[in-house]
Amino acid sequence: MSQPSSSTTPSPRPSPSRVPDAVHRRRWAILGVLMLSLLIVVLDNSILNVAVKTIAAPAPAGIGATQSELEWAINSYTLVFAGLLFTSGLLGDRLGRKRVLLFGITVFGIGSALAAVSGSPAELIGYRAVMGFGAAFVMPATLAILMNVFERDEQPKAIGIWAGSVGLAIAIGPITGGVLLEHFWWGSIFLVNVPVVILALVLMMWLVPDSKDPKPGRIDVPGVLLSVVGLVLLVYGIIRGGELADFINGTVLAPLLAGLAVLVGFVLYERRSDHPAIDMAYFRKPAFSAAVAAIALVFFALMGVTFFSAFYLQSVRGYSALQAGLLILPLAVAQMIFAPRARLVVERFGAKAVCTAGMVAVAAGLAAFTFFDASTPVWVLEIVFFLQGAGMAHIMPPVTVSVMQTLPREKAGSGSAINNTFRQVGGALGVAVLGSVLSTTYRGEIEGHLTGLPPALRAAAGESIEATLGVAEKLGPSGESLVAPAYDAFLDAMHMTAIGSAAVALIGAVVVAVFLPGRAPTGGAGGDEGPEAAGGAGGPGGATAAGSASGAGGPAGSDGSDGDTARPSVPGPTAGTGESARR
């Protein structure tokens, strides 16, 4: 009896996995740890917003911070955070992402403990900057590690969950802050981070594997310095412009123009460098550039509306900080529901259609604010917040996948840094520009009602609705005539700002509709490594990532610290088919 010939009955060769088995088995636990560290970093930036009134109170209730000092307590975090994001991503690729993550979360915890016992506004501002320094090393590392513990076919799902946790943190920050302030002193909003940081550190050391670029080359010192200086100057100019509500002031234009000039110099230098910090060729790929532009635009629009919605809910509608936080909860719920499932919609309709629809939904939610007044039913607010959350859930995961899967896996830290830098700068710009529109419009509307006030009070009362209501309260019965005009002026200003926010979101819709890739072609052999295979990541990263990562015999640049022996690579397609090989 003849034996069957292997040449006539070929068996398919299973493509190799790039993730060691031990790491693969605990990948969801690792994601949970990454989400925990990300949660406290994002949450703490939103939790401070509900505590500003308490911190402004005289001791012992607060520390007597002025309005300017309160703004810098928030902005010092943002300035350091945004300025170092790109650098921290590069260091993660070079030194090891786990090491960078452990360093960042430790610094963040120390800064939190110090901020909790601040004795003066200056100390609080300084310790918030320390927190921002630590956070800058946490956020890029979480996404970079995620890309190195999940196979390509599972990355969109994992990124969806990761993005959902960001939305959750933004929404529960005000709720957590409200609960803490009702029962403890103001420093508790920072001290609560410390036990969470300790828990995260223990779990990270136990579960998270390390990875880095196996061939990082020489460090691009000039490029790193140019990126830090340029981003710090740009973000400082944006923040300063928002404070003054004037973007043509010399103290605003100088850092803005200097920052832009330095960043242009950074781009020109990187294009000519033989060891660039980031390959500028990626930005010539429409899918990559559209993705980072969409991230910036959606956060520009959304952070602006988050800024004025807090005043609307608390100052106009009279809700407490805790109640206002609870009212925004549908935004987080929608993101938690839809973000992890966005990949399924992308697989069916393509990234272009899904992200465009998401942008239109966000724009519709923002435009709805133009119809809100002091008596709009609460259920209408809840529907609008849910719509915004659903829109965000169908934007952030696909565009993040597009950015991360365009770059080779060993450059995951750089990709994560680019993703987060554009988001942070877009958000800061949104608060500054749309906050300026809100402030300028409000001042123009209320000035006619302040003519009877003493000159010293008139200037203060025109700054914001909170300032007007504060002056009215000081004046007693004679100040009651200012309350209704203040509400009307704020609503007019909010409507104008909402129109601007919606317009920016619509611009984002046009960008993704034109430049993001459409529905991925079907019928491939099990696991196309092409960028679109995972939900819209156009660009060069498909083949490059496959070749470099599989050549390393494990997660790109894995140092083997998890104790696994990497599998040898074999020729053939290396798309996210490691899962199939296991099955």
Side-chain angles (χ1 to χ4, degrees), residues 235-334:
V235 174
Y236 174 81
I238 291 169
I239 291 171
R240 183 65 177 160
E243 283 182 337
L244 300 178
D246 180 5
F247 281 85
I248 59 172
N249 186 287
T251 61
V252 175
L253 278 177
L256 273 179
L257 294 177
L260 289 172
V262 172
L263 290 175
V264 169
F266 167 73
V267 171
L268 295 175
Y269 176 82
E270 293 298 290
R271 291 179 63 184
R272 290 166 173 77
S273 174
D274 58 356
H275 57 288
I278 179 65
D279 187 352
M280 290 297 160
Y282 290 113
F283 286 93
R284 292 200 292 268
K285 301 293 179 178
F288 183 85
S289 295
V292 294
I295 291 168
L297 289 170
V298 75
F299 270 86
F300 180 102
L302 202 68
M303 293 305 290
V305 76
T306 302
F307 177 77
F308 67 66
S309 65
F311 288 102
Y312 169 70
L313 293 172
Q314 295 183 53
S315 300
V316 176
R317 301 303 297 266
Y319 294 112
S320 68
L322 178 57
Q323 290 170 329
L326 290 170
L327 286 172
I328 302 176
L329 199 57
L331 188 145
V333 171

Side-chain angles (χ1 to χ4, degrees), residues 313-386:
L313 293 172
Q314 295 183 53
S315 300
V316 176
R317 301 303 297 266
Y319 294 112
S320 68
L322 178 57
Q323 290 170 329
L326 290 170
L327 286 172
I328 302 176
L329 199 57
L331 188 145
V333 171
Q335 291 199 54
M336 291 174 64
I337 293 172
F338 295 114
R341 296 170 175 81
R343 76 191 193 286
L344 302 176
V345 189
V346 170
E347 288 171 4
R348 181 168 183 179
F349 299 105
K352 181 195 295 284
V354 173
C355 291
T356 302
M359 280 287 193
V360 171
V362 169
L366 296 171
F369 273 86
T370 61
F371 301 99
F372 287 2
D373 57 30
S375 59
T376 300
V378 171
W379 64 267
V380 175
L381 303 181
E382 301 301 86
I383 289 176
V384 169
F385 284 130
F386 189 85

